[in-house]
Amino acid sequence: MEDNVHIDKLQVDAVVGPDFWDRKDPQRCFITMKMLTDFNKAAASDDLRYSLNYAVISNDVTRFINSQNDWGSLGKASRMTSNYLISKYQGIKNLELSLQTKTAHVRCDDISAVVDTRNQDYDILRISNFKLLTLLGVFTFERLRKQFVTIDLELPWTKDSLHSPPYKGIIDNVAEYVENCNFKTVESLAESVAKVVSLDKYFQERPGLPITVKIIKLNAITNTDGVGVSCQRTSKELESFQLSNKAVPSKGTKEFDLPIYSDEIKTNTDDRWNKAYLAFGSNLGDRFQNIQLAIDLLKTNPQVTVNQVSSLFESEPMYFTNQNLFMNGCIEISTNLKPLELLKLCKEIEYKELKRVKQIDNGPRTIDLDIIMYLNADNEQVLLNDSELTIPHARMLERSFVLEPLCELVPFDLIHPLTCEPLTSHLSQIYAKGNLEDQLWKLIPLPTINGHNRFLKFKTVEKFDDFTGKTTMVSQSPSYMMCVLNTTPDSFSDGNEFYHNLDKQLDRVQHMYDEGLKLHDSIIIDIGGCSTRPNSEQIEQDIELQRTVPLIKAIRSRKDWEQEKIIISIDTYRSQVALKTIEAGADMINDISGGTFDASMFDVVAQHPEVSYVLSHTRGDISNMVHMAKYDDDGLESGDTQTKEFMFYQRLPSKTGTNVIRSIAREISDRYSWALLKNVRRWQLVLDPGLGFAKNGKNNLQVIRHLSLLKNYCKFTKDGEYVNFRNIPILVGPSRKAFIGKITDEPDASKRDFATGSVITSCVGFGADVIRIHDYANCSKAIRMADAIYKGV
């Protein structure tokens, strides 16, 4: 049973030390008292000494406070008032008295000295609602600007000390430290504040006193007033705690700065190799050759293995904008070099081998190699904060030209070790800002002609789908038109008597050139010397070469054509035909077999990293593929529970309706992995789902409808490999094919062009980037309209 008498916030005016302008003027103070008493004792004795009349006590306290012109400190005033009440009123068994002022410090509007007679060791100086701006958090948006936090401090004040701890100096020290440093976690901030307080002379002389710190982030979680943490530490407990000196980035900088405190590098001590990711960039000279040379130099080092290289991207310069466009990408390597040793190798390649001259930070360069992430052999991310090197790279989270290629190589759920947020989320946050300088163009290199560096260019952006509610990658650049030029007598739709007449063939190229360039900046001419229609008779390789090589040379010899606008593709599955036509002037290899018909095809492609390769899907061979159009099962090996497939970075719980595209994606991904193992570069690749090859009419329609699923496919294999089709363009070739004739009841392939126009429009709408067609004059118009409707270009 406990009886109390309460007086809440009795207003008095007193000099209790300097106010927030350091003037010795009276301050409005509020006294709150909780007096433990015994009502029964006063009632039984009817003795006024035991009666606690709050009106009388309020008047007494007011007179007592007014009896002094200057109390000297808030603590002295509260302690003396408490002693006065205890001595005068025998009915007060225990007293808790709080003397509060809102004008003692300009940074804090609530400071109280709390005296409690039940605590024999110390009373409390309470600093509440101390509001500061600081850089705090691990999410991207939190690192872009300071945010408000409130700090509450409870500072013990020993009974043998008349004056409370010097709150003015403590508040100033905490404010200066917090507002000039930055923190990943609120826990780190709380303990750092406790450390700053503990360094005050008052607590250094009293190392056992518990300092209580409470931190509240005011805007961290919606639907709350704030969330945070509290801790209690003594100066003795904080002796080994080291304050960070990680300063807030200077005003105006765009650096996405994260503090890294780790001084230890956890790498392997055994003979297993680590993994590192390097970002590269070049904007001087032949950018592509600079990058190629840098990769080759990495490969020559016995302590480095180049595992894979991302696509190439063209980006606007950042920070120093008055310079050429950059070509960027990322490299994944295995190495037994430690981070600083790897940094030394990168700098040797930059400055010694490629003669980089650094005139200003972020300025023009022949090559730049940055270590952006480093993982040990146990796949644990290494953190490093050295004067020469910071890992992860301090600015990677603000750069789309680093994150985009990196997200091609690393699993989509890989988190940044400091933010604990997936890298793909950070990239989406960059794109969500809508800054034009963050948008990238993917580049597929082509052989140089007449001094012109040539590329196929594709822009893919993240777009929110109003219907699905998902954010996906979609094409937003003009589609390329691939014009069919067969030099065969037996092609399914345009075999003709002039297949061996070079002049007639050049006349047709002239017409393609004239018509195609009316609406397109360039045209792709796909030359085929051997029919690949199902069940067709396959000619000898020499005949195929006789049909194609002279034509390619003749096209390249024409001085009246802008050669840089003519992209020559060779439709072949033979590696030697690919090689000889490349030497004659071909830019692309369009292989309907995905490298399955000729084991040397990938070797030829790898030897020519400036040549594009269309990686197509098929099954079986020319003679039996028509019998292999069954896609009812999921195609995974029996008992394989480790391979996991994703589309749009999500597992699809049901395979109904997606078996065809899932099977195609899985089988192309196997060929993709094999191509990379044979040193084909990702930047060379275009995907073709292979309409009509080992697919029936229904399959073809499903493929067209699900092209976006193919573009957003990725998988984890049971061996731990990650395959991702992000940013790889898609080519489709529906032109005049049998499934169109069956639907339109048109047996004559040459009369299916009108219907083909509607199909290719749908292909563009579903995400195709390159369209292979026969009727180039009319289909170019259909492609242009589809681009305007579906891509806004």
Side-chain angles (χ1 to χ4, degrees):
M1 188 168 145
E2 184 176 290
D3 302 323
N4 289 283
V5 173
H6 297 271
I7 299 175
D8 288 342
K9 292 189 176 181
L10 172 67
Q11 296 184 28
V12 295
D13 293 326
V15 177
V16 288
D19 64 9
F20 49 50
W21 296 123
D22 284 331
R23 300 171 304 191
K24 285 292 189 74
D25 292 340
Q27 299 179 47
R28 175 58 52 91
C29 298
F30 304 88
I31 300 177
T32 296
M33 292 165 278
K34 177 182 177 183
M35 295 163 280
L36 178 66
T37 187
D38 187 342
F39 291 173
N40 290 330
K41 190 173 183 180
S45 64
D46 201 21
D47 191 334
L48 291 176
R49 291 177 303 168
Y50 300 107
S51 175
L52 298 181
N53 186 309
Y54 43 75
V56 173
I57 292 174
S58 295
N59 289 330
D60 270 355
V61 168
T62 301
R63 283 194 298 269
F64 182 76
I65 289 293
N66 291 333
S67 69
Q68 293 278 352
N69 290 328
D70 184 358
W71 286 96
S73 71
L74 194 69
K76 180 182 177 182
S78 62
R79 182 74 61 77
M80 297 296 290
T81 304
S82 174
N83 292 341
Y84 168 75
L85 290 173
I86 288 292
S87 64
K88 182 171 182 178
Y89 293 95
Q90 296 182 31
I92 301 178
K93 298 172 63 176
N94 286 304
L95 170 64
E96 181 180 326
L97 182 146
S98 168
L99 181 59
Q100 174 194 29
T101 177
K102 294 180 176 294
T103 54
H105 199 286
V106 70
R107 305 300 296 269
C108 180
D109 62 2
D110 191 347
I111 299 175
S112 304
V114 182
V115 177
D116 191 341
T117 59
R118 287 173 295 187
N119 190 327
Q120 300 301 309
D121 298 321
Y122 53 79
D123 295 315
I124 295 294
L125 179 72
R126 183 173 292 138
I127 300 172
S128 303
N129 300 317
F130 178 15
K131 187 179 290 188
L132 294 174
L133 274 171
T134 190
L135 199 60
L136 171 65
V138 296
F139 296 104
T140 302
F141 63 87
E142 295 178 300
R143 307 305 301 180
L144 299 178
R145 61 181 62 88
K146 290 183 176 182
Q147 61 178 294
F148 277 113
V149 296
T150 59
I151 301 177
D152 293 344
L153 301 175
E154 290 192 359
L155 309 181
W157 161 34
T158 55
K159 296 289 187 179
D160 60 3
S161 174
L162 181 60
H163 294 287
S164 56
Y167 57 81
K168 277 188 175 291
I170 289 173
I171 290 174
D172 289 340
N173 291 337
V174 169
E176 181 174 355
Y177 175 76
V178 170
E179 292 192 336
N180 287 283
C181 283
N182 73 103
F183 308 87
K184 299 193 298 293
T185 65
V186 68
E187 291 86 351
S188 174
L189 172 57
E191 195 149 2
S192 295
V193 169
K195 177 69 174 183
V196 172
V197 175
S198 76
L199 295 176
D200 187 86
K201 180 181 178 181
Y202 186 91
F203 293 102
Q204 289 293 301
E205 293 174 350
R206 301 167 177 84
L209 290 180
I211 301 166
T212 301
V213 179
K214 179 181 178 182
I215 307 288
I216 294 294
K217 295 173 68 176
L218 298 180
N219 302 304
I221 303 295
T222 55
N223 302 321
T224 71
D225 290 338
V227 295
V229 301
S230 63
C231 68
Q232 190 174 85
R233 301 286 189 272
T234 67
S235 296
K236 186 174 183 61
E237 292 170 336
L238 291 167
E239 284 179 350
S240 61
F241 182 83
Q242 297 296 315
L243 284 173
S244 165
N245 59 357
K246 189 68 176 178
V248 173
S250 59
K251 187 175 181 181
T253 181
K254 294 183 178 179
E255 179 176 355
F256 183 96
D257 185 45
L258 282 172
I260 304 174
Y261 305 131
S262 174
D263 293 321
E264 297 182 1
I265 305 170
K266 184 180 179 183
T267 53
N268 302 303
T269 56
D270 53 27
D271 59 356
R272 296 180 299 163
W273 282 26
N274 305 307
K275 185 184 294 182
Y277 292 92
L278 311 179
F280 59 77
S282 175
N283 76 333
L284 284 180
D286 190 328
R287 301 173 299 171
F288 179 64
Q289 288 303 316
N290 292 339
I291 292 166
Q292 272 287 99
L293 180 56
I295 295 172
D296 290 341
L297 289 169
L298 282 170
K299 289 168 61 177
T300 60
N301 189 294
Q303 293 177 283
V304 172
T305 298
V306 174
N307 299 332
Q308 54 177 331
V309 184
S310 74
S311 302
L312 300 174
F313 295 93
E314 191 168 66
S315 66
E316 298 282 347
M318 290 185 70
Y319 316 119
F320 176 65
T321 58
N322 187 24
Q323 56 181 316
N324 298 330
L325 297 176
F326 274 88
M327 186 182 293
N328 300 102
C330 286
I331 309 169
E332 179 194 286
I333 65 170
S334 294
T335 183
N336 60 6
L337 294 173
K338 290 187 176 180
L340 290 175
E341 295 170 335
L342 179 59
L343 176 66
K344 182 180 178 182
L345 172 62
C346 291
K347 295 307 171 188
E348 286 179 355
I349 293 173
E350 288 182 30
Y351 292 97
K352 183 179 178 180
E353 301 292 345
L354 274 81
K355 310 300 181 185
R356 175 181 175 183
V357 177
K358 186 174 183 179
Q359 296 177 332
I360 58 173
D361 287 340
N362 306 302
R365 67 211 75 167
T366 52
I367 195 67
D368 188 23
L369 291 173
D370 288 329
I371 304 171
I372 50 177
M373 295 182 73
Y374 191 103
L375 287 72
N376 65 22
D378 294 321
N379 219 35
E380 299 168 327
Q381 299 201 47
V382 171
L383 303 183
L384 176 63
N385 191 20
D386 184 87
S387 59
E388 297 182 60
L389 178 63
T390 298
I391 301 177
H393 193 285
R395 287 185 166 181
M396 64 182 286
L397 298 184
E398 66 186 39
R399 298 172 170 178
S400 61
F401 60 82
V402 172
L403 284 183
E404 186 62 72
L406 180 61
C407 286
E408 291 185 345
L409 305 183
V410 300
F412 68 86
D413 56 356
L414 182 69
I415 64 170
H416 190 282
L418 301 179
T419 69
C420 302
E421 189 174 0
L423 295 179
T424 49
S425 296
H426 284 293
L427 183 57
S428 294
Q429 290 169 28
I430 292 177
Y431 289 144
K433 299 174 188 176
N435 297 330
L436 292 178
E437 62 267 26
D438 293 325
Q439 295 185 5
L440 308 174
W441 283 87
K442 176 189 167 74
L443 305 179
I444 293 182
L446 301 171
T448 299
I449 290 183
N450 298 328
H452 293 276
N453 292 316
R454 301 184 305 147
F455 303 92
L456 297 175
K457 294 188 175 185
F458 305 89
K459 180 189 285 187
T460 304
V461 299
E462 286 197 349
K463 183 178 180 181
F464 181 80
D465 190 308
D466 295 329
F467 297 103
T468 65
K470 299 176 182 177
T471 299
T472 59
M473 303 296 294
V474 297
S475 299
Q476 204 173 68
S477 55
S479 303
Y480 283 93
M481 180 173 66
M482 176 182 276
C483 307
V484 176
L485 180 58
N486 287 319
T487 62
T488 60
D490 57 344
S491 292
F492 81 95
S493 73
D494 63 349
N496 63 80
E497 59 182 301
F498 302 116
Y499 74 92
H500 61 286
N501 188 316
L502 187 58
D503 291 335
K504 293 288 187 181
Q505 292 165 352
L506 288 175
D507 287 344
R508 190 171 184 194
V509 173
Q510 179 72 64
H511 195 244
M512 290 179 180
Y513 181 87
D514 293 338
E515 292 296 322
L517 294 181
K518 286 180 179 179
L519 297 176
H520 300 269
D521 292 333
S522 61
I523 57 169
I524 304 172
I525 301 175
D526 191 38
I527 298 173
C530 178
S531 176
T532 53
R533 61 181 172 82
N535 294 315
S536 62
E537 182 179 349
Q538 299 303 287
I539 60 171
E540 296 295 324
Q541 176 175 288
D542 288 345
I543 298 176
E544 185 178 0
L545 286 169
Q546 291 169 15
R547 292 175 177 176
T548 55
V549 172
L551 176 57
I552 294 172
K553 289 181 177 180
I555 293 173
R556 289 301 183 209
S557 67
R558 289 288 294 265
K559 304 299 183 184
D560 55 329
W561 293 339
E562 293 183 83
Q563 290 291 331
E564 61 271 17
K565 295 185 176 182
I566 301 175
I567 302 162
I568 297 178
S569 168
I570 179 65
D571 183 0
T572 186
Y573 55 78
R574 293 182 169 121
S575 62
Q576 284 303 302
V577 174
L579 177 60
K580 296 299 183 182
T581 52
I582 290 172
E583 293 172 351
D587 304 301
M588 299 178 67
I589 303 167
N590 184 13
D591 176 10
I592 64 106
S593 78
T596 59
F597 292 180
D598 187 333
S600 298
M601 179 60 85
F602 289 158
D603 296 320
V604 170
V605 178
Q607 291 164 12
H608 298 85
E610 76 287 356
V611 170
S612 176
Y613 177 74
V614 180
L615 180 64
S616 302
H617 174 266
T618 191
R619 289 175 171 178
D621 56 32
I622 299 295
S623 65
N624 64 13
M625 65 174 63
V626 294
H627 305 296
M628 305 184 73
K630 183 180 180 182
Y631 296 89
D632 293 335
D633 60 82
D634 64 11
L636 293 178
E637 295 179 17
S638 177
D640 180 6
T641 59
Q642 295 176 294
T643 297
K644 295 180 175 61
E645 295 179 300
F646 298 81
M647 290 177 177
F648 304 107
Y649 298 147
Q650 296 183 11
R651 294 288 296 272
L652 296 182
S654 172
K655 301 182 180 67
T656 303
T658 63
N659 285 336
V660 176
I661 201 67
R662 288 166 68 99
S663 298
I664 291 170
R666 184 185 310 115
E667 291 167 24
I668 293 183
S669 71
D670 291 340
R671 298 308 301 165
Y672 167 91
S673 298
W674 184 243
L676 264 57
L677 196 63
K678 301 283 281 185
N679 293 316
V680 175
R681 295 293 179 220
R682 182 185 179 100
W683 69 54
Q684 296 177 264
L685 298 178
V686 175
L687 301 182
D688 183 351
L691 296 179
F693 294 98
K695 297 164 194 73
N696 58 35
K698 183 179 179 181
N699 298 154
N700 292 327
L701 296 176
Q702 289 177 313
V703 168
I704 292 171
R705 284 193 291 265
H706 293 154
L707 288 175
S708 63
L709 298 181
L710 179 62
K711 298 187 81 166
N712 290 276
Y713 174 86
C714 61
K715 76 172 183 181
F716 296 87
T717 71
K718 60 183 178 182
D719 299 322
E721 181 189 11
Y722 177 67
V723 177
N724 178 15
F725 286 162
R726 184 183 182 105
N727 295 314
I728 301 181
I730 289 182
L731 180 152
V732 290
S735 184
R736 297 181 178 176
K737 290 201 168 169
F739 76 97
I740 297 177
K742 185 174 181 180
I743 294 172
T744 61
D745 193 24
E746 178 52 74
D748 187 343
S750 65
K751 295 180 181 179
R752 297 171 185 160
D753 289 331
F754 186 84
T756 295
S758 66
V759 177
I760 64 176
T761 299
S762 298
C763 291
V764 172
F766 285 115
D769 302 285
V770 184
I771 310 293
R772 186 176 184 269
I773 48 88
H774 293 83
D775 181 13
Y776 46 84
N778 291 303
C779 287
S780 66
K781 299 171 186 175
I783 293 171
R784 184 66 179 269
M785 282 303 304
D787 283 344
I789 293 171
Y790 296 108
K791 299 181 179 181
V793 295

